[in-house]
Amino acid sequence: MTEYIQVGPEDRAEPRSHVIKLHGPEGFEGMRRAGRLAAEILDALVPQVVPGVTTGEIDSIVQRMTLEAGGVPATLGYRGYTKSCCTSINHVVCHGIPGDKVLKGGDIVNIDVTPILDGWHGDTSRMFLVGDVPLKAKKLVDVTFECLMLGLEQARPGNRLGDVAHTIQSHAEKHRYGVVRDFCGHGLGRLFHDSPEVIHAGRPGTGPELKPGMFFTVEPMINIGRADVKLLEDGWTAVTRDRSLSAQFEHSIGITETGCEIFTKSPKGLDKPPY
Ligand code: MF3
Ligand code: CO
Ligand code: CO
């Protein structure tokens, strides 16, 4: 059913749902550099994400750092999106649009960046805690990070995407949290969003088998309440229907012979708060 094709570094073929690209050493090298830049941008934001700053100011920093490094923000002009990152606060699940909104103490915010460097996409997001955050919110953030990392432990040849999904779902539901179904991780490389679709809830032993050379993101969105989301009128911002808090972490990875390489790990060890 699933087909795999070995691709060279120049391959930009549009996604086909049953075809998964397997990348070579140049791809790994390109993704390492793009992923590192993405992680460095999030590292640099740590001292900036404080009460009183606007999400638009954060966006400007992301744009400036990306361009200074010789990259381009993948989201700029992507399907009509006009910003360099997404800033998703509290009950916003994903794709919050930066603007005049001021961060206040007690907020939790996801910042999602995707620089394109030499044609390769490094896609990563982390949660940031603004000032003093209630324990309940901090626990959601901790468990969401655990969901991502436990899922990545399952990302190795021979396992299937359903194994990654099931591990994430089990951990979230153990804490009575809801796993968002409306948005998924995705293949990436020369393209921002490629095959396969990477679900975050599913059954073990199902879905495409993981093979060395696959590049994709894992980016679980976990809600304190129910899993249901709705889209706001701007056509981008997704929020929890019950207005419960939502958290997300995202890494871009490549499947190796023995497991996975995380392209977007923080060089400074700032992968999860407190930073
Ligand atoms: N970075 C997001 C992802 O993880 C996609 C954002 S697309 C945007 O796939 F247009 F909303 F920015
Ligand atoms: Co992504
Ligand atoms: Co992203």
Side-chain angles (χ1 to χ4, degrees):
M1 184 25 213
T2 308
E3 262 182 67
Y4 299 84
I5 50 165
Q6 195 71 47
V7 295
E10 294 313 316
D11 196 286
R12 287 166 186 281
E14 283 305 310
R16 282 181 290 157
S17 61
H18 61 291
V19 180
I20 295 177
K21 291 170 191 158
L22 302 178
H23 299 267
E26 299 98 329
F28 276 85
E29 199 40 59
M31 288 300 287
R32 242 166 241 147
R33 296 184 61 237
R36 169 176 265 266
L37 173 58
E40 284 170 349
I41 293 168
L42 292 184
D43 285 357
L45 292 179
V46 166
Q48 310 291 335
V49 183
V50 290
V53 76
T54 69
T55 52
E57 286 163 345
I58 291 169
D59 189 68
S60 301
I61 298 168
V62 172
Q63 176 167 88
R64 181 177 47 74
M65 281 194 73
T66 307
L67 297 176
E68 274 173 10
V72 178
T75 55
L76 254 191
Y78 177 80
R79 299 179 182 222
Y81 193 84
T82 59
K83 300 291 172 180
S84 298
C85 65
C86 298
T87 49
S88 303
I89 305 168
N90 297 337
H91 70 295
V92 178
V93 172
C94 63
H95 303 165
I97 306 172
D100 297 333
K101 180 106 186 151
V102 178
L103 294 182
K104 58 179 197 310
D107 286 343
I108 59 171
V109 57
N110 175 277
I111 304 177
D112 189 339
V113 301
T114 311
I116 309 172
L117 193 61
D118 298 330
W120 298 97
H121 292 73
D123 187 3
T124 186
S125 80
R126 296 178 205 155
M127 297 303 296
F128 293 78
L129 310 179
V130 185
D132 279 327
V133 164
L135 195 62
K136 195 172 104 143
K138 280 199 270 198
K139 193 191 141 201
L140 171 70
V141 169
D142 283 346
V143 171
T144 303
F145 182 77
E146 289 162 10
C147 283
L148 171 61
M149 298 316 287
L150 289 169
L152 293 183
E153 280 179 25
Q154 297 298 317
R156 58 169 179 268
N159 267 2
R160 292 175 181 271
L161 282 176
D163 297 310
V164 175
H166 176 74
T167 299
I168 292 168
Q169 181 182 6
S170 303
H171 191 63
E173 290 180 354
K174 195 168 85 191
H175 293 273
R176 306 181 150 278
Y177 293 151
V179 181
V180 172
R181 311 296 207 275
D182 301 69
F183 298 95
C184 294
H186 48 92
L188 82 173
R190 311 294 293 192
L191 300 182
F192 190 1
H193 293 112
D194 204 343
S195 255
E197 185 167 276
V198 178
I199 55 174
H200 302 113
R203 296 201 319 279
T206 64
E209 187 180 333
L210 302 181
K211 294 190 187 287
M214 281 174 69
F215 293 168
F216 58 89
T217 72
V218 179
E219 47 182 302
M221 285 142 274
I222 309 293
N223 305 342
I224 284 189
R226 298 185 62 88
D228 309 70
V229 310
K230 71 174 186 204
L231 208 57
L232 298 190
E233 286 80 90
D234 61 25
W236 285 104
T237 312
V239 300
T240 55
R241 273 193 184 274
D242 62 8
R243 295 188 66 88
S244 66
L245 288 181
S246 185
Q248 178 180 30
F249 286 86
E250 173 176 27
H251 272 315
S252 296
I253 69 167
I255 300 297
T256 63
E257 294 299 325
T258 54
C260 73
E261 177 172 345
I262 302 175
F263 297 127
T264 46
K265 260 195 105 53
S266 165
K268 292 191 170 157
L270 305 173
D271 290 290
K272 69 167 284 241
Y275 298 123

